[in-house]
Amino acid sequence: MSPAQRCWYGLVCSLFWGLGACASLQMTPYDLGVALQDRGELPAAIEHYKETLAVQPEHLRARFNLAVIYHDQQKFRAAREQYERLLQIYPEHARSLVNLADIALVEGQPEQAEHLLRRAVDAEPERAYPASFLGRYLQQQGRFTEARLAYERALAVEEDALTRYRCGMLWLQQGQPVEARAQFLKAITRTPEHAPALYQLALLAIRSDETTQAIRYLQRLAFLTPRHAEVFLLLGKLYLQQGQYASAALHFWEARDLQPDAPDVERLLQQVYEALLKQHP
C-alpha cells in the first residue's frame, strides 16, 4: 500500500473513530478497490482487485469490477480474459455476457456478439437490460422487426426510459415520427431528466412548427446539460424567429462561449444586432 493509500485508509478509520466503529471496521482489499475506483484512482483499484483475486479467485465482484476497468480503458484483451474467467464460475452472469458482446462488436464479430446477447437474455429472463441491449444490436443491424420485439420483451419486464428512447429512435429510423414521439414522451415520463429523449422531442417539435413546446424542451435541456452548445444555439434560433432579440442574443453568446467555432453563430448574432438597430435607431 502506498503512503497516499495508507493516509486515505487512516482518514476512513478516523471518520468512524468517534462512533467506536474503527475497531470493528475491516477494510478488505476489495473494499479499498471499490473506494479507489469510485475516486477515479484506477491503477490503485486494479492492484487491490488483483490482491483480492489472488486470495479469492472466485470473488465475482472483484473480477467483474476489474474487467470493467479494463473495458473502459479499451484494454479489450485483458477485459475479455476477466469476463471469461468470471463466466467459468458463474456461466449465467448476464452483464459479463453483454459486455463481452460489446467487445465482440468492437472487434468486428457481430455474429459472436448476437450469440452472447441471446445467451444473456436466456440467462436472466427476469431482467430487462439484456433484451434491451439485444434490441439495440438488432436495430444497428437494420433488423427492425426483431429489434422492436426485443424492446417489447424488455419493457414487459421493466418500464425503462433508456429502452423507451431506443424504441423512439427505432421508429424514427423507419420514418414514423408520431410513434417515435410517443416513445420519447414515455421515456421522460419515466425519467424526466432523460436528456436524449428531451432533445429528440425538441427536434420533433421544431419540425412540426410547435415553437413554444420546442422552447420548453430546450429550456429543460439547457438546465440539464449546461455545456451543450447546440441546445443554446437552437434556443437562440427559435427566439430569433419569434422576434425575441434580447433572448436570442443571450443564447447565441452562450453558444459561442461554449463552442467558439459554433456554426453560423456570428451570422446569427449579426441578424440580431441589425434587428435591434431597426427597433432602436
Side-chain angles (χ1 to χ4, degrees):
M1 188 183 298
S2 71
Q5 292 164 10
R6 284 196 298 271
C7 179
W8 181 83
Y9 179 85
L11 176 61
V12 171
C13 284
S14 69
L15 290 174
F16 285 88
W17 187 265
L19 299 175
C22 193
S24 61
L25 177 66
Q26 297 294 324
M27 291 289 286
T28 66
Y30 169 74
D31 295 328
L32 285 169
V34 171
L36 290 163
Q37 185 176 0
D38 289 343
R39 289 159 54 94
E41 299 180 27
L42 300 183
I46 287 172
E47 292 307 312
H48 282 87
Y49 289 142
K50 286 182 176 179
E51 183 180 348
T52 300
L53 293 168
V55 179
Q56 296 176 270
E58 74 288 354
H59 198 299
L60 298 181
R61 291 182 182 274
R63 195 167 298 282
F64 182 74
N65 289 357
L66 180 60
V68 167
I69 292 176
Y70 286 142
H71 196 158
D72 289 343
Q73 294 176 336
Q74 298 187 1
K75 297 178 180 178
F76 297 128
R77 186 173 182 176
R80 182 170 55 248
E81 178 185 352
Q82 295 303 322
Y83 290 134
E84 288 176 348
R85 292 186 67 179
L86 188 154
L87 288 166
Q88 290 174 3
I89 304 168
Y90 184 13
E92 297 185 348
H93 193 261
R95 289 214 175 267
S96 291
L97 291 166
V98 168
N99 290 357
L100 276 173
D102 179 67
I103 293 174
L105 282 174
V106 170
E107 295 179 339
Q109 303 175 48
E111 292 182 359
Q112 176 67 5
E114 181 175 350
H115 170 71
L116 289 163
L117 287 169
R118 292 192 182 280
R119 274 184 62 190
V121 171
D122 292 339
E124 295 191 20
E126 76 286 356
R127 304 291 296 275
Y129 70 89
S132 184
F133 276 100
L134 176 61
R136 184 186 68 169
Y137 163 79
L138 294 168
Q139 182 178 347
Q140 290 170 344
Q141 299 299 309
R143 295 157 62 181
F144 297 144
T145 300
E146 292 176 82
R148 179 174 54 80
L149 292 173
Y151 289 143
E152 289 176 355
R153 175 172 179 169
L155 290 166
V157 174
E158 179 185 358
E159 182 64 34
D160 172 64
L162 178 58
T163 303
R164 286 291 180 191
Y165 170 75
R166 289 171 175 167
C167 282
M169 296 305 295
L170 176 64
W171 284 115
L172 275 186
Q173 281 184 274
Q174 297 175 86
Q176 302 291 334
V178 175
E179 290 80 358
R181 186 198 300 264
Q183 295 299 321
F184 295 139
L185 286 170
K186 288 179 180 179
I188 64 169
T189 299
R190 177 67 176 176
T191 306
E193 67 277 11
H194 196 280
L198 284 168
Y199 184 71
Q200 292 300 328
L201 283 167
L203 294 181
L204 288 170
I206 291 170
R207 291 170 194 160
S208 302
D209 293 323
E210 300 171 9
T211 303
T212 302
Q213 187 61 58
I215 288 174
R216 291 195 186 110
Y217 288 135
L218 290 169
Q219 286 173 335
R220 288 168 65 182
L221 266 176
F223 176 77
L224 292 169
T225 58
R227 305 297 299 173
H228 196 330
E230 176 66 18
V231 171
F232 290 96
L233 191 61
L234 286 173
L235 272 169
K237 289 178 179 179
L238 294 176
Y239 284 126
L240 180 59
Q241 290 173 10
Q242 291 195 325
Q244 299 182 44
Y245 301 120
S247 294
L250 287 171
H251 286 86
F252 289 143
W253 290 335
E254 188 72 29
R256 185 177 61 184
D257 289 343
L258 291 169
Q259 185 181 338
D261 61 345
D264 295 330
V265 70
E266 294 299 338
R267 178 182 59 80
L268 291 165
L269 277 169
Q270 188 61 37
Q271 289 183 27
V272 171
Y273 299 151
E274 291 172 1
L276 288 170
L277 283 173
K278 289 179 182 178
Q279 283 187 343
H280 306 284

